[in-house]
Amino acid sequence: LLDIDFGDENVGIAVGDYGRIIRTADGGKTWTTIAVPPDTKLPPDIAEVVEPGDILFYSVHFADPQHVWVVGEFGVILASSDGGQTFVPQVSPVESTLFGVYFLDTQRGWATGMEATLLQTTD
């Protein structure tokens, strides 16, 4: 596991290698594995040898208890609007690894990564 964040005192997400996304709803007493969406798009040359469930996730951030984002290898960005129970792949303009993500609120966020990548969203 490489990063962890909590939306409130009970709900948290931790992320890491091999597509690891785990979630707690009881302040960390118990954790459940959350599946990487199978429709997560990877670069064509990578998709031939890497499954979405093998992606390394580096960062997770809650904007509020319901809205959370995860970023990782190959420019993958996942978003959740149900407190991290499920995730939806987002369109990423890059294929380089993303190491950090931060959202000021549910609309304004940034992701950082390799090759001097700095992404911004307002929607």
Side-chain angles (χ1 to χ4, degrees), residues 33-107:
T33 299
I34 304 300
V36 176
D39 59 341
T40 300
K41 300 244 187 283
L42 298 175
D45 57 327
I46 299 299
E48 293 177 11
V49 294
V50 176
E51 296 289 326
D54 292 336
I55 297 168
L56 199 157
F57 293 115
Y58 285 99
S59 187
V60 57
H61 184 75
F62 279 87
D64 64 31
Q66 293 301 309
H67 296 89
V68 59
W69 286 263
V70 171
V71 298
E73 286 183 302
F74 316 117
V76 170
I77 304 169
L78 303 178
S80 174
S81 60
D82 61 8
Q85 294 179 67
T86 60
F87 284 88
V88 176
Q90 304 297 288
V91 175
S92 176
V94 299
E95 294 180 354
S96 56
T97 296
L98 298 172
F99 290 118
V101 64
Y102 179 81
F103 273 75
L104 189 59
D105 55 37
T106 61
Q107 299 295 306

Side-chain angles (χ1 to χ4, degrees), residues 7-52:
D8 60 27
E9 66 276 359
N10 291 312
V11 178
I13 300 283
V15 297
D17 206 355
Y18 294 106
R20 178 69 62 198
I21 303 173
I22 58 174
R23 180 181 188 272
T24 183
D26 58 13
K29 292 179 185 134
T30 60
W31 294 84
T32 56
T33 299
I34 304 300
V36 176
D39 59 341
T40 300
K41 300 244 187 283
L42 298 175
D45 57 327
I46 299 299
E48 293 177 11
V49 294
V50 176
E51 296 289 326

